[in-house]
Amino acid sequence: MPKPPYRRVAVIGVGLIGGSVALALRQRGLAKRVIGVVRSADRVQRVLDCGVVDEATADLESACGGADLVVVTTPVDSIARMAVEAAQHAAPDALVTDGGSTKAAIVAAIDAHWPTDGDGLAFVGAHPLAGGHLSGPDAARADLFEAAVTVLTPSAATPAAALRRARQFWEGLGSTVVEMSPERHDQLVALTSHVPHVAAAAVAATTPAEALALAATGWADTTRVAAGSPELWREILLANAAPIADGLRRLGQELEAYAAALDAGDGDAIQRLLEEGRQRRDALGS
Amino acid sequence: MPKPPYRRVAVIGVGLIGGSVALALRQRGLAKRVIGVVRSADRVQRVLDCGVVDEATADLESACGGADLVVVTTPVDSIARMAVEAAQHAAPDALVTDGGSTKAAIVAAIDAHWPTDGDGLAFVGAHPLAGGHLSGPDAARADLFEAAVTVLTPSAATPAAALRRARQFWEGLGSTVVEMSPERHDQLVALTSHVPHVAAAAVAATTPAEALALAATGWADTTRVAAGSPELWREILLANAAPIADGLRRLGQELEAYAAALDAGDGDAIQRLLEEGRQRRDALGS
């Protein structure tokens, strides 16, 4: 049996993404030992009970000591701090990567505070486009990243060798890797993830409670992501504020175009707008 | 075996809803004979091949002759015309009902042109809140109305006996019946169905094609209904223009509230807005 590529992996933040990273590493025989780092000691047992990690602790320093791979999957507002702290304890050649759904602010903060400038220890920002309607380590799945895209967001400070290792890691979990700048990533996910999330929450909030008896599958689908955690999404939206605000105003203009066409009884204009939406929707598939 | 309650049923428009009405009537033993009325003669064979009706024809007059139940499930812009024409040929005590997703304009047009003012032959507007991502008679299901709500929208012209019969019919297909005025129905579905449809189409249209590689389940859910037929939805939106335009402008204000909070970096305001969306979403369930 070949030696696992990673000796000691620290997964900081064991929720859906972190738990799935840990499970996938273990089930694919990619890591000798996976240590989960939790927020506080009272969470250790819960994470152990989920069976996703070999070991769990609230002590980041001891978990990262000697680790050759660190994966930071905490909420976006703490990723940079955790990554820099982990780097101070990890092995000198460790790869540090993350799972944050915004990238520019995180990558810039890490570049600014990174403890070394050698070619060994390095951070490579990543965003696995995986998830679902469930959260927490109980929902973790070893196959979460299969058929998913992971975006890697190297900066000018990213060594080429580290980028290759990060690609190998995320492909090793089953995902398809694409690379782009942190800024480009944030602009695109503002439109594919953050604006749709706000739109879903806004549609839900502007539906009066007494109308819900008439809500069918269309309303349920359109608003589904609004069930996500407001605490987590607050930080995601704040970390990518300008592209999202732009996207929301562009969406507002599109809604006003419909409203104006409805005021004017202009069926052709309405159909043209609907065709544009359907074409883009059909380009994705179900 | 008890006699089926309906001798001869004409279903005008054999798509997903009409086909499912026909299938449900036959599988539940509620009709002796179900005749599907299609738009043109070249569609007869296709509908027969689906096996949802006993007979299919493009001749509305012959199909409705002697019918004691007529169900009009054509697109909303032709329902009133079809219902009035059907009434001229149906049995003198026939119940005519429909499946249109807008009601005020349809009910008013039918009331204005109804051929009799007796207590026998009568129209009762209905909107079964059933459907899905598929359309056409191939997608018809006998259980489509089970666990669905059907809204009945009586007007001042609706005889009480006809309303009872319409309730019996739609409950007989497995749905839960609620009653409200056509105007109230249209105001509520503007918010639970029409505004979400436009929002989905607008989110899809404002996502650049090059961003779709980063679209994950959130985008797919939020935009799913935008795959619906622009031709059908054009007529639905036009038939309920004012409440939808109001709802879209209210939604636009909500999006602007998020954009302003993002501009200001006001995390508390963002979280408050997200909480409102989640509360309303959670009130529905998955």
Side-chain angles (χ1 to χ4, degrees):
Chain A
M1 197 168 158
K3 213 173 73 168
Y6 305 107
R7 297 180 307 272
R8 180 177 175 88
V9 180
V11 175
I12 306 179
V14 190
L16 172 63
I17 301 292
S20 297
V21 165
L23 261 185
L25 281 169
R26 294 168 69 211
Q27 290 198 5
R28 288 165 175 256
L30 297 172
K32 207 163 160 198
R33 192 151 190 84
V34 179
I35 301 108
V37 180
V38 294
R39 211 177 319 170
S40 53
D42 59 342
R43 295 186 167 241
V44 166
Q45 197 54 49
R46 180 183 164 206
V47 162
L48 288 175
D49 291 345
C50 291
V52 296
V53 291
D54 296 306
E55 201 178 307
T57 173
D59 180 354
L60 186 142
E61 179 171 345
S62 73
C64 294
D68 53 347
L69 174 67
V70 177
V71 187
V72 185
T73 45
T74 58
V76 290
D77 56 322
S78 59
I79 288 175
R81 187 163 41 82
M82 295 292 175
V84 169
E85 197 175 330
Q88 287 156 351
H89 307 295
D93 61 345
L95 170 67
V96 182
T97 185
D98 77 323
S101 58
T102 64
K103 294 267 71 83
I106 289 170
V107 171
I110 290 174
D111 282 354
H113 297 98
W114 199 243
T116 75
D117 56 2
D119 264 6
L121 182 71
F123 173 79
V124 180
H127 176 197
L129 295 165
H133 314 313
L134 301 169
S135 61
D138 310 301
R141 289 166 25 209
D143 65 354
L144 187 70
F145 307 105
E146 289 172 24
V149 167
T150 296
V151 185
L152 297 185
T153 59
S155 69
T158 309
L163 183 54
R164 281 196 300 276
R165 289 167 67 201
R167 174 181 279 274
Q168 197 171 28
F169 165 64
W170 285 104
E171 286 178 349
L173 301 189
S175 65
T176 301
V177 166
V178 300
E179 292 174 21
M180 63 186 69
S181 72
E183 293 72 25
R184 174 81 174 147
H185 166 275
D186 284 4
Q187 279 161 2
L188 294 182
V189 297
L191 300 174
T192 58
S193 171
H194 307 156
V195 166
H197 189 96
V198 169
V203 166
T206 57
T207 305
E210 70 267 28
L212 287 181
L214 302 197
T217 53
W219 194 89
D221 282 346
T222 309
T223 61
R224 183 162 293 119
V225 295
S229 159
E231 293 76 17
L232 288 181
W233 276 91
R234 161 198 177 131
E235 299 306 328
I236 292 169
L237 299 181
L238 282 173
N240 197 19
I244 299 171
D246 286 351
L248 291 175
R249 290 191 170 112
R250 173 74 194 83
L251 179 61
Q253 288 164 1
E254 184 85 359
L255 298 180
E256 179 53 36
Y258 276 94
L262 287 167
D263 287 348
D266 187 346
D268 290 344
I270 292 168
Q271 188 167 339
R272 218 158 38 235
L273 290 163
L274 290 169
E275 298 276 9
E276 287 165 16
R278 182 167 69 167
Q279 278 168 26
R280 202 55 50 76
R281 183 58 182 78
D282 286 351
L284 184 81
S286 63
Chain B
M1 198 168 159
K3 214 173 70 167
Y6 305 106
R7 295 181 306 272
R8 181 178 176 88
V9 180
V11 174
I12 306 179
V14 190
L16 172 63
I17 301 292
S20 297
V21 165
L23 261 186
L25 281 169
R26 293 168 70 211
Q27 289 197 7
R28 288 167 176 254
L30 296 173
K32 207 164 161 198
R33 192 150 190 85
V34 178
I35 301 108
V37 181
V38 295
R39 212 176 319 168
S40 53
D42 59 341
R43 295 187 167 241
V44 166
Q45 197 55 50
R46 181 182 167 208
V47 162
L48 287 175
D49 290 346
C50 291
V52 297
V53 291
D54 296 306
E55 201 178 308
T57 174
D59 180 356
L60 186 142
E61 179 171 345
S62 74
C64 293
D68 52 346
L69 174 67
V70 176
V71 187
V72 185
T73 46
T74 59
V76 291
D77 55 322
S78 60
I79 288 174
R81 187 164 40 85
M82 295 292 175
V84 169
E85 198 177 328
Q88 286 155 353
H89 308 293
D93 62 344
L95 171 68
V96 182
T97 184
D98 77 323
S101 58
T102 64
K103 294 268 71 85
I106 290 170
V107 171
I110 290 174
D111 283 353
H113 298 96
W114 199 244
T116 74
D117 57 358
D119 263 9
L121 183 71
F123 173 79
V124 180
H127 177 196
L129 296 165
H133 313 315
L134 302 170
S135 61
D138 310 302
R141 288 164 29 207
D143 65 354
L144 188 70
F145 307 105
E146 289 171 24
V149 167
T150 295
V151 185
L152 298 184
T153 59
S155 69
T158 309
L163 182 55
R164 280 195 301 275
R165 288 167 67 201
R167 173 181 279 273
Q168 196 171 28
F169 165 65
W170 286 104
E171 286 179 349
L173 301 188
S175 65
T176 302
V177 166
V178 301
E179 291 173 23
M180 63 185 70
S181 72
E183 293 71 26
R184 173 79 175 151
H185 166 275
D186 284 5
Q187 280 163 0
L188 294 182
V189 296
L191 301 173
T192 57
S193 171
H194 307 156
V195 165
H197 189 97
V198 170
V203 166
T206 57
T207 306
E210 70 266 28
L212 288 181
L214 302 197
T217 53
W219 194 88
D221 283 345
T222 308
T223 61
R224 183 161 291 120
V225 295
S229 160
E231 294 77 17
L232 288 180
W233 276 90
R234 162 199 176 130
E235 299 305 328
I236 292 168
L237 300 182
L238 282 173
N240 197 20
I244 299 170
D246 284 352
L248 291 174
R249 291 192 169 111
R250 173 75 194 82
L251 179 59
Q253 289 165 0
E254 183 86 357
L255 298 179
E256 179 54 37
Y258 276 93
L262 287 166
D263 287 347
D266 186 346
D268 290 344
I270 292 168
Q271 187 166 339
R272 216 159 38 233
L273 290 163
L274 290 169
E275 298 275 10
E276 286 166 16
R278 181 165 71 166
Q279 278 169 24
R280 201 55 50 78
R281 182 60 182 76
D282 286 351
L284 184 81
S286 63

